[in-house]
Amino acid sequence: MHALKKNRPLRRVTLAAAGTVTGVVLLLSLKPHTPPAVAQASASSGQSQSQSSGSSSGGSSGGTKSTGTKTVTGDTIQTRWGPVQVRVTVRNGEITEVTAVAYPQGNPKDQEINSYAIPQLRREALAAQSAQIDSVSGATYTSDGYKRSLQSALDSAGG
């Protein structure tokens, strides 16, 4: 007769209990991704209004580009891993500065990914002078949110 049959029922119960406990411990050890603190999202959402840091200067030769300097904060884009928001400075129709105001940084993995992704996205935006930039490999969600927020800021700036 097999060892787990009727002659040793206590062994069967013990193995079933041990298997259940092991399964529960494994499930509880999985840590779900937690979004960044709500305080960060609410603090940055108050900055989503466009801000003008300069005025138009007259005397241009009738070009269609706006003159002066504008600093505009784009929409907060909710991504799978957290909010992404970008602030852009446009001077005489040219993007002169791009800053990530909010991006996922709630855990070490987010911090690692975004420590290389955010500077790369900034460089590409400045080089392209638009939101038509390549995504960063390994930071697809952040890249998508960055591009969408940048486009909304450029739309608000009139660039």
Side-chain angles (χ1 to χ4, degrees):
M1 204 178 263
H2 191 268
L4 295 180
K5 297 273 182 183
K6 294 182 182 182
N7 63 348
R8 299 201 185 221
L10 189 56
R11 177 180 277 176
R12 195 170 21 174
V13 170
T14 304
L15 288 174
T20 302
V21 168
T22 302
V24 169
V25 167
L26 288 174
L27 284 174
L28 292 177
S29 69
L30 292 175
K31 303 256 188 234
H33 182 84
T34 55
V38 177
Q40 176 189 359
S42 64
S44 61
S45 66
Q47 299 173 352
S48 64
Q49 301 298 322
S50 65
Q51 305 160 348
S52 180
S53 63
S55 60
S56 296
S57 60
S60 70
S61 62
T64 58
K65 287 188 176 183
S66 63
T67 57
T69 301
K70 291 183 182 178
T71 300
V72 182
T73 303
D75 295 337
T76 300
I77 307 299
Q78 292 297 327
T79 69
R80 179 176 179 181
W81 305 119
V84 177
Q85 187 177 33
V86 176
R87 179 179 299 132
V88 65
T89 301
V90 179
R91 180 178 295 129
N92 297 330
E94 181 180 334
I95 299 172
T96 58
E97 184 59 52
V98 182
T99 305
V101 178
Y103 52 92
Q105 49 190 343
N107 64 46
K109 186 69 171 173
D110 289 341
Q111 293 169 4
E112 176 187 350
I113 290 170
N114 291 320
S115 69
Y116 72 85
I118 297 298
Q120 186 172 340
L121 290 165
R122 179 185 175 275
R123 282 191 301 273
E124 289 195 25
L126 289 171
Q129 290 293 304
S130 74
Q132 301 299 317
I133 58 178
D134 292 333
S135 293
V136 175
S137 180
T140 306
Y141 292 102
T142 299
S143 298
D144 181 54
Y146 192 97
K147 291 188 283 187
R148 289 174 50 202
S149 183
L150 176 59
Q151 184 63 57
S152 75
L154 291 174
D155 290 346
S156 296

